[in-house]
Amino acid sequence: MARATTISRDGFNKLQEELEYLVTVRRKEVAERLKEARSYGDLSENAEYDEAKNEQGMLEAQIADLEVVIANAIIVDDDSLSLDEVGVGSIVKIKDFDMDEILEYQIVGSTESDPDNNKISDESPIGKACLKKKIGDIFEVEVPAGTLKFEILGIDR
């Protein structure tokens, strides 16, 4: 059984757009490549055909994966987010005691994770540790480099 994934409305919409593109545009492109490669003759020694078949297989696997994620998505709308405790979709302002700096992250589902843009997964060490915390809560996170200590300074949506 597929595992449910929590995702924002925006993230869900992006996944649907990606699926639509793969199904309507990429499938046709790959089918056209297959058709062209078949026209080159003997399929047993046809590298273009083998490459197109591999591309088709990867594309179909990607489509199937997206369909599973979309079918099992738990969508979190911004207006339903609590400002009292951290959940998926929350934007948290935390103090890193070790680095003595203030960080801001949005806690997102694993499919939306983008650390370069301060979107961390609810399954990452810091993301998981933030969940259900309230403003003022201090918590520690075990990471490969040791233990990090944080405080929740703010929760927004």
Side-chain angles (χ1 to χ4, degrees):
M1 186 175 129
R3 191 167 84 38
T5 302
T6 306
I7 189 167
S8 70
R9 170 67 59 195
D10 188 42
F12 183 78
N13 291 343
K14 285 179 183 168
L15 288 178
Q16 285 187 308
E17 287 170 16
E18 182 181 357
L19 178 61
E20 180 73 15
Y21 170 76
L22 293 177
V23 168
T24 60
V25 176
R26 289 291 298 138
R27 256 189 189 155
K28 284 183 183 144
E29 291 172 355
V30 171
E32 196 54 44
R33 283 193 60 208
L34 271 170
K35 182 178 171 186
E36 185 179 324
R38 259 192 227 109
S39 72
Y40 297 150
D42 184 6
L43 297 182
S44 64
E45 296 179 17
N46 187 330
E48 288 87 359
Y49 180 77
D50 290 342
E51 188 179 319
K53 281 301 281 179
N54 286 339
E55 185 179 359
Q56 181 185 42
M58 289 187 295
L59 174 65
E60 292 305 322
Q62 189 178 6
I63 288 171
D65 288 346
L66 275 174
E67 288 173 337
V68 168
V69 170
I70 288 170
N72 294 290
I74 298 168
I75 302 165
V76 178
D77 286 307
D78 285 352
D79 53 355
S80 68
L81 291 176
S82 169
L83 295 175
D84 297 325
E85 100 178 358
V86 178
V88 173
S90 296
I91 297 170
V92 293
K93 190 176 286 188
I94 59 176
K95 177 176 181 169
D96 179 338
F97 285 100
D98 298 312
M99 301 297 285
D100 194 30
E101 62 184 6
I102 308 295
L103 306 168
E104 189 170 281
Y105 295 113
Q106 181 174 20
I107 309 299
V108 297
S110 58
T111 59
E112 296 178 272
S113 181
D114 184 0
D116 292 339
N117 289 306
N118 296 333
K119 292 183 175 192
I120 59 173
S121 167
D122 61 336
E123 297 173 10
S124 70
I126 294 173
K128 185 184 282 190
C130 281
L131 293 176
K132 307 262 185 230
K133 299 289 187 286
K134 298 177 182 339
I135 294 173
D137 285 355
I138 294 174
F139 61 98
E140 294 183 345
V141 178
E142 291 292 326
V143 294
T147 302
L148 303 176
K149 186 175 177 182
F150 299 96
E151 178 181 1
I152 303 284
L153 300 178
I155 302 170
D156 207 346
R157 44 177 98 124

